[in-house]
Amino acid sequence: MCFYLFKRPAAFVFSFIIVIFFFSCKKTSLLLEDVSNKTGNSKDFFSYNVQDADPLVMKVLTEVKRRNEQSAFIEQFAKSNGYAIWNKSIIKKGVKNRRKTNSFQSSGGEDTMIYIPLVMEDSLSVTGFIIATINDSIGLSFNRASYYQFLSFTDTENEMNASQYAGFMLMLDRCVFGHDKYIVTDPRLFKSNSDNGMGNKLLIWKNNIGSGGNYLVGDDVCEEWEIWYNPDGDACNCSGDEYLTGETYTTGDCSTGGVTWWWPISGGGTAPGGGTPGTGGGGGGGDIPPTYPCNPNLPLSFSGSSPTNNVDPNPLPPCPPEGGGWTPAPNPCDTYMQALPNDAYFTSIFKYLNNPTVINLDVETGFLVIRSAVPYQQVTGVDINSPTINWTNLAAGGIKYDGFLHSHYCPDPPTKCLSGIFSPLDVIFMTQLYLAGKAKDSTNFFIGVASRDNPYILKVTNTTKFRRFAEKISASSKAVKDFQADYNPKLISANPDNNEENFLKMMQEMNAGTGLTLFRGNKDCNQWTKLSLSGTGGVVDEPCF
């Protein structure tokens, strides 16, 4: 099994923590139901995750089913290695035949390679993959995430190394689960001269190989990912105090010129210490063998950067410890914000407010939001060119609200434009409603604004800290006036970056802490990004997923 990723040097950087971001395959909501509570029976293996699978993938499924009918191995295979995610396979045509070693030697022909992710029951990460080699017949083998430990942790000229294998596993995981960030827990992976193998690491996947369903990878595909350090350990947005490690991996036909990615192949390698590579045959019987056969009852230890065996494993080497040297980073956004894009009505109302037709009016427009009761009640400003809305209905009948949305008009920039972000008066209004008991859910109460720049949401994320902040800025009429006087001039910049940074600094200076969280939306108001200050200033973007 062999593939090659070209690596080019970059600038010198500092080291401590690295973070891995993937921006490749389209995020899916697959798996939570499809790979849980299974009994391991063969019907489950062949009937789940097949919708919209490519015909070539279905051809492989038929071959696996045929083999299982002969030797009934799939139940144990699923329990030990995971369930196939057929409709998230990666298809690569035109791969050179390399049957004998994991070098770059070619025997002249070309294969179609299909990489089928495997996921263990109740798992939220890809734990391995099946490689199907299609030519005159179909050859099969499988790999586990842990197999990277069989490979060298240093650069190799003619062979796949451990970091390259890990990068392929992370690509599969991104395609299936849509994880955006990975913390690398094995310091030997993605090692550079600047980090000396210390600290956690992060990786950024930059280009999209497809969207939805199976991913057909053409010869002109460009894939690129980078390794970053995050010295102060805050949320990494790959700017400011975060530094590129000097490691940039490129595959396919990128702007730097044609670069070959040697894809993993069936039966392409031998595990350290011996063992015959699994080939899976073609057209015959048998099960799906491992690409690197190994003995699970023997320990595998490491000396330096290459694996060594404590015990002569004749005839098979020991298997490495299970699992990969990485884990998905936790979602930066709480469950409320994660679920909000699924509320179609909320999204449509916010998108309406964010429309230039509404922004270009000379009055504000708003909605009182009770998400369980639609339609929302609309309220429109009465006075032209006056940044106010009459929210008198809020006091009626003890009704409580999830939050409220409104627009900041901008009919004639820059002279007739309200702030591109929340004004101090917006924040005061939010605190007064909260203190008056108008929050339906005090842990998730929010305000939203659509402006000339972006849509934003400001949401309660810690009730104790928010209440302390609310009481401070609303304590008296003087406190209200002082708050407005201090921050009005800082939040009216024509540059949205300045407004965001100054708003976050306001929250910091007023000791809002984690009591409030600011989110920026896209133009369709269905994707949200958490905003925070880095340790040295500047805005950190962390997309919700």
Side-chain angles (χ1 to χ4, degrees):
M1 181 173 105
C2 172
F3 69 89
Y4 172 70
L5 294 114
F6 178 77
K7 184 171 71 178
R8 66 177 186 267
F12 172 78
V13 294
F14 298 113
S15 63
F16 268 108
I17 298 178
I18 313 174
V19 184
I20 298 179
F21 299 82
F22 275 99
F23 298 107
S24 187
C25 314
K26 184 178 179 181
K27 177 182 175 183
T28 74
S29 58
L30 190 61
L31 278 287
L32 289 179
E33 293 181 354
D34 292 349
V35 187
S36 60
N37 302 317
K38 300 292 181 291
T39 60
N41 66 62
S42 59
K43 180 182 70 174
D44 291 335
F45 191 89
F46 297 115
S47 61
Y48 283 90
N49 306 298
V50 297
Q51 184 178 5
D52 300 323
D54 187 272
L56 282 172
V57 176
M58 296 305 295
K59 184 176 181 180
V60 176
L61 184 151
T62 300
E63 170 64 15
V64 176
K65 184 181 292 187
R66 183 190 69 80
R67 295 188 184 194
N68 184 62
E69 289 172 352
Q70 293 184 355
S71 55
F73 67 91
I74 210 66
E75 290 186 16
Q76 186 57 48
F77 182 91
K79 292 176 181 178
S80 301
N81 303 298
Y83 287 84
I85 313 302
W86 303 101
N87 55 9
K88 295 296 171 186
S89 301
I90 293 177
I91 303 167
K92 173 65 177 173
K93 295 184 178 181
V95 178
K96 296 293 184 181
N97 296 152
R98 296 181 303 284
R99 298 266 191 272
K100 296 182 180 180
T101 68
N102 59 341
S103 71
F104 295 132
Q105 297 174 357
S106 171
S107 59
E110 292 187 346
D111 297 332
T112 293
M113 310 297 299
I114 299 180
Y115 306 91
I116 303 159
L118 295 170
V119 176
M120 293 293 290
E121 180 178 346
D122 295 321
S123 173
L124 291 177
S125 62
V126 172
T127 50
F129 58 97
I130 295 172
I131 305 177
T133 306
I134 302 179
N135 39 60
D136 295 336
S137 58
I138 299 178
L140 299 171
S141 68
F142 76 89
N143 289 263
R144 293 190 175 100
S146 59
Y147 283 2
Y148 80 90
Q149 298 174 76
F150 277 137
L151 307 174
S152 172
F153 287 88
T154 59
D155 290 340
T156 52
E157 182 178 355
N158 293 324
E159 295 181 349
M160 171 183 59
N161 63 39
S163 294
Q164 293 165 345
Y165 185 97
F168 186 79
M169 284 299 309
L170 289 168
M171 181 179 73
L172 289 175
D173 196 76
R174 168 63 179 156
C175 290
V176 174
F177 289 100
H179 295 139
D180 291 313
K181 299 181 182 180
Y182 294 88
I183 298 172
V184 179
T185 55
D186 189 331
R188 298 167 298 176
L189 289 172
F190 312 112
K191 182 178 178 181
S192 72
N193 292 332
S194 57
D195 83 321
N196 296 318
M198 298 177 64
N200 293 329
K201 302 182 177 74
L202 274 172
L203 183 144
I204 307 169
W205 198 275
K206 302 191 71 174
N207 295 313
N208 195 338
I209 68 171
S211 58
N214 299 130
Y215 302 95
L216 180 62
V217 180
D219 292 335
D220 60 348
V221 69
C222 173
E223 299 296 337
E224 186 174 16
W225 45 275
E226 301 171 340
I227 306 295
W228 289 76
Y229 288 94
N230 184 11
D232 55 15
D234 64 0
C236 179
N237 68 330
C238 304
S239 64
D241 59 332
E242 288 91 28
Y243 300 93
L244 186 64
T245 67
E247 305 297 312
T248 300
Y249 295 81
T250 307
T251 68
D253 185 15
C254 291
S255 59
T256 55
V259 178
T260 301
W261 183 354
W262 293 91
W263 293 73
I265 64 170
S266 293
T270 56
T276 302
T279 61
D287 58 7
I288 305 174
T291 301
Y292 294 117
C294 58
N295 188 335
N297 298 316
L298 292 175
L300 180 64
S301 65
F302 292 92
S303 175
S305 59
S306 299
T308 59
N309 302 327
N310 288 332
V311 181
D312 183 1
N314 190 28
L316 291 178
C319 292
E322 286 302 318
W326 54 86
T327 183
N331 198 316
C333 306
D334 60 23
T335 56
Y336 193 89
M337 291 303 298
Q338 292 174 41
L340 197 58
N342 299 323
D343 187 332
Y345 185 77
F346 175 88
T347 298
S348 67
I349 291 298
F350 213 150
K351 185 177 180 181
Y352 163 77
L353 288 176
N354 200 47
N355 190 293
T357 302
V358 176
I359 301 296
N360 292 338
L361 296 174
D362 49 14
V363 293
E364 291 191 5
T365 302
F367 288 89
L368 305 173
V369 177
I370 302 176
R371 292 180 59 196
S372 60
V374 297
Y376 304 156
Q377 182 179 349
Q378 182 173 351
V379 185
T380 303
V382 177
D383 298 327
I384 293 176
N385 296 326
S386 176
T388 57
I389 292 179
N390 185 355
W391 298 95
T392 54
N393 287 328
L394 284 172
I399 300 174
K400 296 187 178 184
Y401 300 90
D402 292 302
F404 66 95
L405 305 175
H406 72 299
S407 64
H408 278 181
Y409 61 76
C410 186
D412 187 17
T415 57
K416 293 184 179 180
C417 273
L418 298 184
S419 172
I421 201 167
F422 297 105
S423 68
L425 190 59
D426 291 336
V427 179
I428 290 169
F429 182 54
M430 178 187 186
T431 63
Q432 290 175 340
L433 289 177
Y434 190 89
L435 294 174
K438 288 295 182 180
K440 183 178 180 184
D441 177 359
S442 62
T443 61
N444 290 302
F445 188 61
F446 65 86
I447 59 173
V449 66
S451 72
R452 66 178 187 268
D453 297 326
N454 298 292
Y456 294 96
I457 285 177
L458 185 64
K459 193 180 84 69
V460 174
T461 43
N462 182 301
T463 56
T464 301
K465 292 183 178 181
F466 176 69
R467 179 172 291 276
R468 189 181 303 128
F469 165 77
E471 290 172 345
K472 179 179 181 179
I473 68 171
S474 302
S476 64
S477 59
K478 182 180 184 303
V480 170
K481 289 179 181 179
D482 289 346
F483 181 70
Q484 293 185 78
D486 289 342
Y487 293 106
N488 266 327
K490 299 178 181 180
L491 301 174
I492 56 174
S493 172
N495 185 333
D497 294 341
N498 291 341
N499 288 330
E500 291 176 0
E501 184 172 351
N502 287 335
F503 192 91
L504 291 167
K505 287 180 177 178
M506 175 274 292
M507 292 168 56
Q508 184 181 70
E509 291 163 359
M510 299 302 294
N511 296 316
T514 57
L516 278 173
T517 302
L518 179 66
F519 300 89
R520 182 204 309 124
N522 64 344
K523 63 181 179 63
D524 292 325
C525 305
N526 59 5
Q527 295 177 6
W528 295 95
T529 297
K530 178 183 176 181
L531 306 181
S532 60
L533 286 176
S534 71
T536 57
V539 177
V540 175
D541 295 9
E542 296 181 276
C544 304
F545 58 91

